[in-house]
Amino acid sequence: MSDTYSRPIIDEGAATVVMGAPQSEEGAPSQPTGEPERRSAGTSWSRDFRFMLVVLAAIVVLFLAFALLIAFSPTGAAISALAIIAAPIATMVAAYYGISLALRQVSDARETADSSEARARAAEVTARESDAWAAQMESGLRVAVAKLRAAGQDTRDVERAAGTPDEFF
């Protein structure tokens, strides 16, 4: 689920300000610096390292259990006791892996949502700039046609080149 509607957007004359985003001197969001990629790589490594430590600790505990079993006597009761010890350890490691995987997927989904939201905001800014540019070009075209008509010149070629409908001017 996205938190798009809970994030404030301040729109002052076609400038969208994203809270927490780095901004340039004009007040518009600046280009991403690549910091989230570096941060997520470091976070991913620390998650992998923690999981590796949990697995190694589980292996050490199981190794010690097997060593104690061999050292004292490998009877049926000892093997059953080892199974009773090993099963919860394996279950905890599997649960930790499942939780770690779920947290990683949530984190990746959140990063993807944030980056797509940033792209959408950039597209909105670009669309506003394009609309402003188109309005300026239309205004300039109207002025040019008005001046040509005032000078007594035919404006049909200009109107065709502009691709405007017949009753546009």
Side-chain angles (χ1 to χ4, degrees):
M1 187 164 143
S2 175
D3 57 345
T4 303
Y5 298 109
S6 65
R7 293 185 181 186
I9 299 172
I10 301 170
D11 188 9
E12 296 174 0
T16 302
V17 178
V18 180
M19 290 190 63
Q23 298 184 359
S24 63
E25 292 176 4
E26 294 84 30
S30 64
Q31 295 296 326
T33 59
E35 183 181 336
E37 289 83 12
R38 279 185 261 136
R39 191 177 342 125
S40 71
T43 305
S44 176
W45 172 248
S46 68
R47 281 189 209 144
D48 293 340
F49 187 69
R50 284 189 310 228
F51 180 69
M52 184 177 66
L53 287 177
V54 168
V55 170
L56 285 175
I59 289 171
V60 167
V61 168
L62 289 175
F63 177 76
L64 289 175
F66 278 109
L68 290 174
L69 174 72
I70 292 171
F72 289 109
S73 63
T75 63
I79 292 173
S80 295
L82 180 61
I84 290 172
I85 293 171
I89 292 172
T91 303
M92 286 188 281
V93 169
Y96 182 79
Y97 176 72
I99 291 169
S100 299
L101 186 61
L103 290 174
R104 181 177 298 152
Q105 288 174 344
V106 167
S107 173
D108 291 346
R110 187 171 290 141
E111 288 176 8
T112 302
D114 288 343
S115 67
S116 63
E117 186 177 344
R119 284 192 307 271
R121 290 183 191 281
E124 288 174 5
V125 169
T126 302
R128 284 189 197 110
E129 290 172 356
S130 295
D131 289 344
W133 180 82
Q136 289 173 349
M137 292 299 109
E138 180 182 338
S139 175
L141 185 60
R142 287 182 187 273
V143 167
V145 168
K147 285 188 174 188
L148 284 172
R149 285 185 181 159
Q153 297 291 324
D154 184 31
T155 61
R156 199 166 109 190
D157 292 337
V158 173
E159 292 171 5
R160 282 186 185 167
T164 57
D166 290 337
E167 294 152 8
F168 183 75
F169 295 104

